[in-house]
Amino acid sequence: MKLNNLVFDFDQFASEMANLKNKGFDYLVTIIGEDFGEEGLGCIYILENTENHERTSVKMIAKQVGDSCVIPSVINLWKSADLLEREVYDFLGIKFLGHPDMRRLFLRNDFKGHPLRKDFKADDKYTLEDDVEPDFGLEFTLDKDGNLKTKKNPLFADDDYVVNIGPQHPSTHGVLRLQTVLDGETVKRIYPHLGYIHRGIEKMWEGMTYPQTLALTDRLNYLSAMMHRHALVGVIEEAMGIELTDRIKVIRTIMDELQRLDNHLLYCGCVAQDLGALTAFLYCMRDREHVLNVMEETTGGRLIQNYYRIGGLQDDIDPNFVDNVKALVNYLRPMIQEYLDVFGDNVITHNRLEKIGAMDKENCINYGVTGPAGRAAGWENDVRKNHPYDMYDKVEWKQITLTGCDSMDRYYVHIQEMYQSLDIIEQLIDNIPAGDFYVKQKPIIKVPEGQWYFSVEGASGEFGVYLDSKGDKSPYRMKMRPMGLTLIGALDTMLRGEKIADLVTTTAAIDVVIPDIDR
């Protein structure tokens, strides 16, 4: 969508955002921090009304107070703002008034400067010293005279027992570190520490041409590589007004669903493996190989997929693609029941997953828990239905929602979504229209001036890309809405009062992949 931002005065910002929440904009999609040049530092907030799926955006320029830039926090309205505002603070240095825990989220505490500011100068220095972490969060407020005041909020009590789950732990699925406060085996509090695999992709994009930016999306959630690149080319194509052929749209839809099958198969296997059930993992990996074989013949890749490009596809589908996909659908459909027979309906599985990490629909919306994790609580958040793209509104399929709100239903949503992916593919595979697989573009691509946001339904939730263009061959600012950041932000609420073993279960069930979060 092209952004037509609402703009509020600094003093009215908090009340106006509360008005928008009261008008039904209960889902905070993302917060985009940006250096707007002469205007100063600021944020763009994208909001959605979950009843009618209307979206709007708000632009807020930070107020200069001494050497600091400040914006009132919206954490009291949307809990997902917790990590979203900390991310902006980390990379741009904007202080959010009233946020109780202003700490760096991705970068080391001794990192100098804020890299997404346009005047940031990298010095290429590094240190092998330990990162000294504060045991308090900062809370900033303005007094009646407009002066900035700072308060330290302790993170731990004197008798708290703190254990680090990760960053080197097989059940954190990558370098995720969860600083966990325990009372015996009971979880009292979780503080996520991110950025162990952070590569600064959004900063790198600012120095790249648009075709060069494509190579980096596939290294995010490598199980949603097609969807990640789909969002990136989608926002560029929308901004440029590129009209794609139906052949391109159909092939992209099929490829996205093959990638979703790839993810969900690995998900079902990894949930089992995290609970100690190796046999189910082997079953899923066996069948996932068949999916990857079909994709590889056309794309040349198995884990990293580099198939979409601005204006279409890298190449046409393989001559055997249609037959191979049809054979895959026929093979895979009866196999899904095996995962339930071996693991999903096992009494141990039910004991480990039912009523574990529960979060109701209202809180899922408030914390931005999208994807299967949110649909397990009855929230119809599927981008393919609410904001359809390509062929998703041209085929018959169901959005899977359940009401258990727990890790068991998150697992079941993934199982049932595999059947829906097969249904979508089956309707399209015999009806791939003739036409071009690529709409030729100029050698140097320039995007018109403006701001756009385009999102897709990734394997774990909404993945979106924001683009601010000044009409050049490189983006002025591109920002991703990762699938996993808000999922991790909800873990603390999901797990308070649960056992430490339930932390492993819930982290597996919400389906996070760390490079997607860290970027």
Side-chain angles (χ1 to χ4, degrees), residues 433-485:
D436 294 330
F437 66 85
Y438 174 61
V439 179
K440 189 173 182 180
Q441 304 300 310
K442 294 179 180 179
I444 298 177
I445 293 175
K446 292 186 177 181
V447 173
E449 190 169 348
Q451 297 168 331
W452 290 266
Y453 177 77
F454 187 92
S455 62
V456 300
E457 183 63 27
S460 306
E462 176 172 349
F463 179 85
V465 177
Y466 160 84
L467 168 61
D468 186 354
S469 171
K470 301 299 184 187
D472 301 323
K473 62 181 181 180
S474 298
Y476 181 80
R477 172 84 164 102
M478 277 211 298
K479 166 79 170 71
M480 288 173 272
R481 186 227 183 259
M483 300 179 291
L485 183 59

Side-chain angles (χ1 to χ4, degrees), residues 59-73:
K59 181 178 179 180
M60 183 67 209
I61 300 298
K63 181 178 181 180
Q64 192 80 27
V65 179
D67 295 332
S68 300
C69 295
V70 300
I71 292 177
S73 174

Side-chain angles (χ1 to χ4, degrees), residues 376-426:
W379 178 20
E380 296 180 349
N381 59 51
D382 199 311
V383 178
R384 296 172 294 173
K385 285 285 190 185
N386 300 341
H387 307 281
Y389 52 97
D390 284 356
M391 306 305 291
Y392 286 111
D393 56 347
K394 306 292 193 300
V395 292
E396 295 293 326
W397 61 282
K398 297 177 183 176
Q399 179 173 188
I400 302 299
T401 57
L402 299 174
T403 56
C405 306
D406 58 5
S407 294
M408 189 76 250
D409 272 9
R410 290 167 194 148
Y411 176 85
Y412 280 148
V413 169
H414 282 82
I415 288 287
Q416 294 184 39
E417 283 191 355
M418 285 194 278
Y419 288 116
Q420 298 305 313
S421 292
L422 292 174
D423 288 347
I424 293 170
I425 293 169
E426 211 166 27

Side-chain angles (χ1 to χ4, degrees), residues 141-185:
T141 54
L142 295 180
D143 64 15
K144 58 181 174 47
D145 296 321
N147 299 314
L148 189 65
K149 298 296 182 182
T150 305
K151 173 188 172 187
K152 292 182 178 180
N153 293 322
L155 303 177
F156 313 107
D158 292 338
D159 59 347
D160 277 344
Y161 185 75
V162 184
V163 172
N164 285 297
I165 310 297
Q168 283 83 29
H169 191 290
S171 291
T172 58
H173 295 263
V175 282
L176 170 66
R177 175 180 163 215
L178 299 174
Q179 201 172 24
T180 309
V181 182
L182 298 174
D183 179 8
E185 289 191 27

Side-chain angles (χ1 to χ4, degrees), residues 351-358 406-407 410 498 502 505-506:
N351 289 336
R352 289 294 307 275
L353 293 174
E354 285 182 357
K355 297 182 172 58
I356 298 302
D406 58 5
S407 294
R410 290 167 194 148
E498 307 273 352
D502 300 331
T505 300
T506 306

